């Protein structure tokens, strides 16, 4: 199936749903399903890491990761917070696979380190640890510089959430 056929199929499904339900707005945003507390907790984990990075709150940031990564993330994030002004915005987040103990999440986020801004798409693996969701690793699918400002050059890999950040090879 090519892209045009795929888009046509989606449009037909939306039209059918609209006609069947009597909805007037074809582009109404979907509503959250009932009993989705696990999905909300997982998204809160990812958003919590972004919020802690924005606040440069080292303790809160480290707590977003699995216990085995605390030492490494404390060192890495502590150095970033001292060397840069950090800003992270989660743009989009979708669960790919979920079990009671772990999940994979596709995340698109924008990260800024002092003078450079990157759009990053990655798959984040989260685990259930101490009755909370924690980030275990991240596989960066794409990372591109979006805004270049004056200032020191930095590496895109330095802004990744996960303790085991790797850029996927094409």
């Amino acid at each position: 199936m090519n892209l045009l056929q795929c888009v046509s199929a989606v449009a037909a499904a939306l039209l059918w749903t609209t006609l069947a339900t009597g909805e007037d707005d074809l582009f109404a945003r979907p509503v959250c399903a009932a009993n989705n507390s696990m999905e909300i907790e997982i998204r809160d984990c990812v958003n919590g890491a972004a919020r802690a990075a924005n606040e440069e709150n080292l303790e809160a940031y480290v707590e977003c990761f699995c216990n085995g990564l605390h030492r490494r993330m404390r060192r890495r994030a502590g150095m970033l917070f001292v060397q840069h002004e950090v800003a992270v915005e989660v743009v989009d987040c979708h669960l790919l696979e979920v079990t009671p103990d772990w999940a994979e999440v596709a995340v698109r986020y924008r990260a800024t380190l002092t003078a450079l801004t990157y759009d990053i798409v990655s798959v984040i693996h989260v685990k259930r640890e101490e009755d909370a969701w924690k980030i275990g690793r991240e596989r960066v699918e794409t990372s591109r510089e979006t805004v270049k400002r004056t200032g020191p050059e930095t590496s895109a890999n330095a802004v990744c959430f996960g303790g085991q950040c790797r850029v996927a090879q094409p």
Side-chain angles (χ1 to χ4, degrees):
M1 177 180 282
N2 66 28
L3 181 61
L4 182 58
Q5 290 170 325
C6 184
V7 170
S8 297
V10 169
L14 281 173
L15 181 59
W16 174 256
T17 302
T18 301
L19 293 174
T21 61
E23 291 287 326
D24 290 334
D25 187 3
L26 278 176
F27 301 102
R29 292 192 57 89
V31 255
C32 291
N35 301 323
N36 66 344
S37 62
M38 189 181 308
E39 180 178 346
I40 292 169
E41 289 173 1
I42 292 167
R43 288 174 191 247
D44 285 348
C45 170
V46 173
N47 289 322
R51 187 173 38 260
N54 289 334
E55 296 168 359
E56 295 189 10
N57 182 338
L58 185 58
E59 293 305 315
Y61 186 75
V62 168
E63 282 302 313
C64 294
F65 294 88
C66 293
N67 291 335
L69 299 173
H70 283 188
R71 184 172 180 206
R72 181 182 337 165
M73 292 312 299
R74 180 180 310 286
R75 180 179 269 311
R76 188 179 290 172
M79 291 304 294
L80 281 175
F81 294 166
V82 167
Q83 295 171 337
H84 299 281
E85 291 181 29
V86 177
V88 178
E89 173 193 6
V90 176
V91 177
D92 209 355
C93 182
H94 295 281
L95 270 65
L96 301 177
E97 190 170 352
V98 181
T99 73
D101 298 323
W102 63 270
E104 281 191 339
V105 187
V107 180
R108 180 166 57 104
Y109 60 96
R110 186 162 295 122
T112 302
L113 293 177
T114 306
L116 298 174
T117 300
Y118 297 92
D119 275 341
I120 299 168
V121 174
S122 66
V123 175
I124 296 177
H125 183 91
V126 294
K127 291 182 359 183
R128 194 96 168 134
E129 212 175 75
E130 298 175 356
D131 204 34
W133 291 99
K134 306 282 183 155
I135 297 171
R137 67 179 178 268
E138 175 180 23
R139 185 182 72 241
V140 175
E141 298 294 330
T142 61
S143 173
R144 66 181 173 89
E145 187 176 335
T146 56
V147 177
K148 186 170 183 164
R149 301 179 197 152
T150 59
E153 293 294 322
T154 58
S155 166
N157 292 333
V159 297
C160 301
F161 275 131
Q164 299 175 3
C165 183
R166 298 180 307 275
V167 176
Q169 299 301 317

